[in-house]
Amino acid sequence: MSQYSNIKYTTSPTPSVVSGYSSASRLHSPLPPPIGYRKDCLSATSKSYKYLRRLLKFNQMDFEFAFWQMIYLFIAPQKVYRNFNYRKQTKSQFARDDPAFLVLLVICLCVTSLGFAYVLGLSIWQSISFIFYVVFVDCIFAGIIIASFFWVVSNRYLRTNNLEPDIEWGYAFDVHLNAFFPPLMLLHFIQLFFYNWLISQTWFISRFLGNSFWLMGMGYYVYITFLGYNCIPHLKNTRLILIALPIIFLLYLVVTIIGWNATISFVNFYKYRVY
């Protein structure tokens, strides 16, 4: 796999600052040029513009490598962040310049949400509304808030000194997307096979299993978020992110002992949003 990943790293050439925003390329894009467009550098606005343009060009996305990243977010998330460091060395940015991962994540959200809607017995309109909430509220809107929080905190409090480069907001959002994928598959896919016949019951094993799924999902999210900021050399005290893990475990013990099934509560919340 390591040989394969090295090959994949070399398939995307280092972008040219001038050629990436040439007049000819802009003529073929339906998006207007950004306000901060300049030929001599890639500003944050220009990077965002380039990323949005590539959302419209599926033939330029590396879906195979994005799928490889999704697999390794489960089994070895450290390897995924090695690629981010490689991108910083070759392309002068940590954030992804290929939206293939986001596209695959949205597809996974839609497919798993359809399965979730089927298990909940939602109507067609309710299923569409549920998918809308999951994609645009639970993932993207919540991700914007979380990424903005870590972006501010990392730049203001975690940098070793003010002379070091800022953490890109796009990278903070990428970290959220990475951390969001394993909980998505655990809570919106794997858990569905146990919900109707086991987790939805009133037994102790039911709330133990349901709460355990949430424990694993939230644990994945915190750990992958920690890896995302810990891999940046000029950030300090990133281990503070891991403080959330014992807090989550303590809450897990408390809610299990008092008889609260987190999965049933969130399912009821999902139903409330679409009814």
Side-chain angles (χ1 to χ4, degrees):
M1 178 59 71
S2 60
Q3 294 178 351
Y4 171 76
S5 60
N6 290 333
I7 295 175
K8 294 303 295 180
Y9 291 162
T10 60
T11 57
S12 181
T14 304
S16 170
V17 172
V18 177
S19 61
Y21 292 92
S22 63
S23 300
S25 65
R26 292 200 311 273
L27 291 176
H28 298 288
S29 173
L31 295 173
I35 297 175
Y37 166 75
R38 291 168 55 185
K39 289 186 177 181
D40 58 341
C41 72
L42 287 178
S43 65
T45 306
S46 298
K47 291 177 182 178
S48 301
Y49 168 68
K50 180 182 178 182
Y51 188 88
L52 290 173
R53 282 183 58 201
R54 294 194 66 178
L55 276 173
L56 304 174
K57 300 180 179 179
F58 292 96
N59 60 331
Q60 295 185 7
M61 299 183 193
D62 193 347
F63 290 108
E64 188 176 357
F65 181 58
F67 183 71
W68 175 89
Q69 288 183 315
M70 287 181 165
I71 294 176
Y72 269 82
L73 284 172
F74 271 105
I75 61 178
Q78 300 91 337
K79 290 187 177 181
V80 176
Y81 285 110
R82 291 176 191 170
N83 174 253
F84 283 85
N85 281 316
Y86 176 84
R87 186 182 299 109
K88 179 64 176 178
Q89 297 171 7
T90 58
K91 301 185 179 182
S92 298
Q93 66 179 64
F94 277 110
R96 290 185 176 99
D97 58 351
D98 184 352
F101 187 91
L102 175 60
V103 173
L104 286 183
L105 180 61
V106 170
I107 293 174
C108 288
L109 277 168
C110 292
V111 173
T112 57
S113 296
L114 281 175
F116 213 110
Y118 174 78
V119 170
L120 298 182
L122 302 181
S123 65
I124 295 178
W125 174 249
Q126 290 171 339
S127 299
I128 295 174
S129 178
F130 179 68
I131 293 173
F132 175 86
Y133 273 114
V134 170
V135 174
F136 293 101
V137 179
D138 297 347
C139 180
I140 296 180
F141 180 71
I144 290 174
I145 295 176
I146 295 173
S148 299
F149 170 79
F150 278 105
W151 175 65
V152 171
V153 170
S154 60
N155 284 318
R156 182 168 298 182
Y157 302 108
L158 300 184
R159 280 191 299 165
T160 53
N161 59 73
N162 293 330
L163 299 179
E164 298 290 349
D166 291 348
I167 304 301
E168 308 156 37
W169 186 90
Y171 177 73
F173 190 69
D174 279 338
V175 171
H176 162 73
L177 295 181
N178 291 342
F180 189 85
F181 178 70
L184 165 69
M185 300 307 294
L186 286 170
L187 300 174
H188 270 232
F189 180 65
I190 299 177
Q191 186 176 220
L192 296 182
F193 296 98
F194 302 91
Y195 180 74
N196 281 332
W197 64 277
L198 181 56
I199 296 179
S200 62
Q201 307 301 320
T202 58
W203 311 320
F204 171 80
I205 187 63
S206 301
R207 63 176 181 270
F208 172 78
L209 183 60
N211 292 341
S212 296
F213 269 111
W214 280 93
L215 174 66
M216 290 187 290
M218 296 176 69
Y220 256 118
Y221 189 94
V222 171
Y223 179 64
I224 293 177
T225 299
F226 159 73
L227 290 178
Y229 294 95
N230 188 59
C231 74
I232 301 178
H234 58 271
L235 292 184
K236 61 181 179 179
N237 299 326
T238 54
R239 291 185 179 272
L240 292 174
I241 299 174
L242 295 178
I243 293 178
L245 290 179
I247 297 175
I248 292 171
F249 184 73
L250 180 61
L251 290 174
Y252 162 77
L253 292 179
V254 171
V255 299
T256 303
I257 292 172
I258 66 176
W260 181 45
N261 191 324
T263 296
I264 294 179
S265 296
F266 277 94
V267 165
N268 291 334
F269 172 70
Y270 288 153
K271 289 181 178 180
Y272 173 78
R273 288 199 304 187
V274 297
Y275 284 159

